[in-house]
Short mmCIF file of all heavy atoms in Angstrom, two decimals:
data_model
loop_
_atom_site.label_atom_id
_atom_site.label_comp_id
_atom_site.label_asym_id
_atom_site.label_seq_id
_atom_site.Cartn_x
_atom_site.Cartn_y
_atom_site.Cartn_z
N ASN A 1 81.29 117.04 70.64
CA ASN A 1 81.01 118.26 71.37
C ASN A 1 80.71 117.93 72.83
O ASN A 1 80.05 116.94 73.14
CB ASN A 1 79.83 119.00 70.74
CG ASN A 1 79.69 120.40 71.30
OD1 ASN A 1 79.24 120.60 72.42
ND2 ASN A 1 80.13 121.37 70.52
N HIS A 2 81.22 118.77 73.71
CA HIS A 2 81.04 118.53 75.13
C HIS A 2 79.57 118.55 75.53
O HIS A 2 79.19 117.91 76.51
CB HIS A 2 81.83 119.57 75.96
CG HIS A 2 81.88 119.21 77.41
ND1 HIS A 2 80.95 119.65 78.32
CD2 HIS A 2 82.73 118.41 78.09
CE1 HIS A 2 81.23 119.17 79.51
NE2 HIS A 2 82.32 118.40 79.40
N GLU A 3 78.75 119.26 74.80
CA GLU A 3 77.32 119.35 75.13
C GLU A 3 76.53 118.14 74.63
O GLU A 3 75.33 118.04 74.87
CB GLU A 3 76.72 120.64 74.54
CG GLU A 3 77.36 121.91 75.06
CD GLU A 3 77.35 122.00 76.57
OE1 GLU A 3 76.29 121.76 77.20
OE2 GLU A 3 78.42 122.30 77.15
N SER A 4 77.18 117.21 73.94
CA SER A 4 76.47 116.04 73.42
C SER A 4 76.05 115.12 74.56
O SER A 4 76.58 115.20 75.67
CB SER A 4 77.36 115.28 72.44
OG SER A 4 78.44 114.71 73.13
N ASN A 5 75.12 114.27 74.26
CA ASN A 5 74.55 113.40 75.28
C ASN A 5 75.38 112.11 75.40
O ASN A 5 74.93 111.03 75.09
CB ASN A 5 73.09 113.06 74.92
CG ASN A 5 72.36 112.39 76.05
OD1 ASN A 5 72.77 112.47 77.20
ND2 ASN A 5 71.29 111.70 75.73
N HIS A 6 76.62 112.26 75.83
CA HIS A 6 77.51 111.13 76.06
C HIS A 6 78.00 111.19 77.50
O HIS A 6 78.04 112.25 78.11
CB HIS A 6 78.72 111.17 75.11
CG HIS A 6 78.37 110.83 73.71
ND1 HIS A 6 77.75 111.70 72.85
CD2 HIS A 6 78.55 109.68 73.01
CE1 HIS A 6 77.57 111.13 71.69
NE2 HIS A 6 78.04 109.90 71.75
N HIS A 7 78.40 110.04 78.00
CA HIS A 7 78.88 109.96 79.37
C HIS A 7 80.18 110.76 79.51
O HIS A 7 80.97 110.86 78.57
CB HIS A 7 79.12 108.49 79.75
CG HIS A 7 79.29 108.30 81.22
ND1 HIS A 7 80.51 108.40 81.84
CD2 HIS A 7 78.38 108.03 82.19
CE1 HIS A 7 80.36 108.19 83.14
NE2 HIS A 7 79.08 107.95 83.38
N GLN A 8 80.40 111.32 80.68
CA GLN A 8 81.60 112.12 80.95
C GLN A 8 82.89 111.33 80.69
O GLN A 8 83.90 111.88 80.27
CB GLN A 8 81.60 112.64 82.38
CG GLN A 8 80.73 113.88 82.60
CD GLN A 8 81.22 115.06 81.79
OE1 GLN A 8 80.58 115.47 80.82
NE2 GLN A 8 82.35 115.63 82.17
N SER A 9 82.85 110.02 80.95
CA SER A 9 84.05 109.21 80.75
C SER A 9 84.44 109.18 79.27
O SER A 9 85.63 109.12 78.94
CB SER A 9 83.85 107.78 81.28
OG SER A 9 82.82 107.13 80.55
N THR A 10 83.45 109.22 78.38
CA THR A 10 83.73 109.26 76.95
C THR A 10 84.41 110.57 76.58
O THR A 10 85.38 110.60 75.83
CB THR A 10 82.43 109.09 76.13
OG1 THR A 10 81.81 107.85 76.50
CG2 THR A 10 82.69 109.12 74.65
N LYS A 11 83.94 111.65 77.15
CA LYS A 11 84.51 112.97 76.86
C LYS A 11 85.93 113.08 77.42
O LYS A 11 86.82 113.60 76.75
CB LYS A 11 83.59 114.06 77.43
CG LYS A 11 82.22 114.05 76.77
CD LYS A 11 81.24 114.95 77.48
CE LYS A 11 79.84 114.76 76.90
NZ LYS A 11 78.85 115.52 77.62
N ARG A 12 86.14 112.56 78.63
CA ARG A 12 87.50 112.54 79.19
C ARG A 12 88.41 111.65 78.35
O ARG A 12 89.59 111.93 78.16
CB ARG A 12 87.48 112.08 80.65
CG ARG A 12 87.09 113.16 81.64
CD ARG A 12 87.34 112.73 83.08
NE ARG A 12 86.69 111.48 83.44
CZ ARG A 12 85.44 111.36 83.88
NH1 ARG A 12 84.68 112.44 84.04
NH2 ARG A 12 84.93 110.19 84.18
N GLY A 13 87.84 110.56 77.83
CA GLY A 13 88.60 109.64 76.99
C GLY A 13 89.12 110.31 75.72
O GLY A 13 90.22 110.02 75.26
N ILE A 14 88.33 111.22 75.16
CA ILE A 14 88.77 111.96 73.98
C ILE A 14 89.98 112.83 74.33
O ILE A 14 90.98 112.84 73.60
CB ILE A 14 87.61 112.81 73.42
CG1 ILE A 14 86.57 111.89 72.79
CG2 ILE A 14 88.11 113.85 72.41
CD1 ILE A 14 85.27 112.55 72.42
N ILE A 15 89.89 113.50 75.45
CA ILE A 15 91.02 114.35 75.88
C ILE A 15 92.25 113.48 76.11
O ILE A 15 93.35 113.79 75.63
CB ILE A 15 90.66 115.13 77.17
CG1 ILE A 15 89.45 116.03 76.94
CG2 ILE A 15 91.86 115.95 77.64
CD1 ILE A 15 88.89 116.65 78.20
N LYS A 16 92.10 112.38 76.84
CA LYS A 16 93.23 111.49 77.13
C LYS A 16 93.87 110.94 75.85
O LYS A 16 95.09 110.88 75.74
CB LYS A 16 92.78 110.33 78.02
CG LYS A 16 92.43 110.74 79.43
CD LYS A 16 91.90 109.53 80.20
CE LYS A 16 91.43 109.92 81.58
NZ LYS A 16 90.85 108.77 82.30
N THR A 17 93.03 110.55 74.91
CA THR A 17 93.54 110.00 73.65
C THR A 17 94.37 111.02 72.89
O THR A 17 95.46 110.71 72.39
CB THR A 17 92.37 109.50 72.77
OG1 THR A 17 91.68 108.47 73.48
CG2 THR A 17 92.85 108.98 71.44
N LEU A 18 93.87 112.26 72.80
CA LEU A 18 94.62 113.31 72.11
C LEU A 18 95.93 113.62 72.83
O LEU A 18 96.97 113.82 72.19
CB LEU A 18 93.76 114.57 71.98
CG LEU A 18 92.53 114.46 71.07
CD1 LEU A 18 91.66 115.69 71.18
CD2 LEU A 18 92.96 114.22 69.63
N LEU A 19 95.88 113.64 74.16
CA LEU A 19 97.10 113.90 74.93
C LEU A 19 98.11 112.76 74.79
O LEU A 19 99.30 113.00 74.60
CB LEU A 19 96.76 114.12 76.40
CG LEU A 19 95.95 115.38 76.73
CD1 LEU A 19 95.55 115.40 78.21
CD2 LEU A 19 96.71 116.64 76.36
N ASP A 20 97.63 111.52 74.86
CA ASP A 20 98.52 110.37 74.73
C ASP A 20 99.19 110.35 73.36
O ASP A 20 100.37 110.03 73.23
CB ASP A 20 97.76 109.06 74.96
CG ASP A 20 97.40 108.85 76.41
OD1 ASP A 20 97.92 109.58 77.28
OD2 ASP A 20 96.59 107.94 76.69
N ARG A 21 98.43 110.71 72.33
CA ARG A 21 99.01 110.77 70.98
C ARG A 21 100.10 111.84 70.93
O ARG A 21 101.17 111.61 70.37
CB ARG A 21 97.92 111.05 69.94
CG ARG A 21 98.46 111.10 68.53
CD ARG A 21 97.37 111.22 67.51
NE ARG A 21 96.77 112.54 67.55
CZ ARG A 21 96.04 113.06 66.57
NH1 ARG A 21 95.81 112.36 65.48
NH2 ARG A 21 95.53 114.25 66.68
N ALA A 22 99.83 112.98 71.54
CA ALA A 22 100.84 114.06 71.56
C ALA A 22 102.10 113.62 72.29
O ALA A 22 103.21 113.79 71.78
CB ALA A 22 100.25 115.31 72.23
N PHE A 23 101.94 113.03 73.47
CA PHE A 23 103.10 112.58 74.25
C PHE A 23 103.85 111.47 73.52
O PHE A 23 105.07 111.37 73.60
CB PHE A 23 102.69 112.11 75.65
CG PHE A 23 102.28 113.23 76.56
CD1 PHE A 23 101.02 113.25 77.15
CD2 PHE A 23 103.14 114.28 76.83
CE1 PHE A 23 100.63 114.27 77.99
CE2 PHE A 23 102.76 115.32 77.68
CZ PHE A 23 101.50 115.32 78.25
N GLY A 24 103.12 110.62 72.82
CA GLY A 24 103.75 109.49 72.14
C GLY A 24 104.45 109.86 70.84
O GLY A 24 105.44 109.23 70.48
N LEU A 25 103.97 110.89 70.14
CA LEU A 25 104.51 111.20 68.82
C LEU A 25 105.47 112.38 68.79
O LEU A 25 106.33 112.44 67.92
CB LEU A 25 103.37 111.46 67.83
CG LEU A 25 102.42 110.30 67.56
CD1 LEU A 25 101.39 110.69 66.51
CD2 LEU A 25 103.16 109.05 67.16
N CYS A 26 105.32 113.33 69.69
CA CYS A 26 106.16 114.53 69.65
C CYS A 26 107.46 114.25 70.40
O CYS A 26 107.44 114.02 71.61
CB CYS A 26 105.44 115.72 70.29
SG CYS A 26 103.92 116.14 69.43
#
């Protein structure tokens, strides 16, 4: 969850990972 107490880079990393998987598999 974006409201969790994690660094912003971790949250951006989740977005990047999901996007990279989409670009790589579709």
Side-chain angles (χ1 to χ4, degrees):
N1 192 285
H2 191 268
E3 300 305 312
S4 68
N5 191 19
H6 287 77
H7 194 272
Q8 280 297 109
S9 63
T10 302
K11 297 170 188 175
R12 280 191 305 274
I14 290 170
I15 300 170
K16 290 176 185 177
T17 299
L18 293 172
L19 294 174
D20 288 348
R21 181 173 71 162
F23 288 123
L25 298 183
C26 299

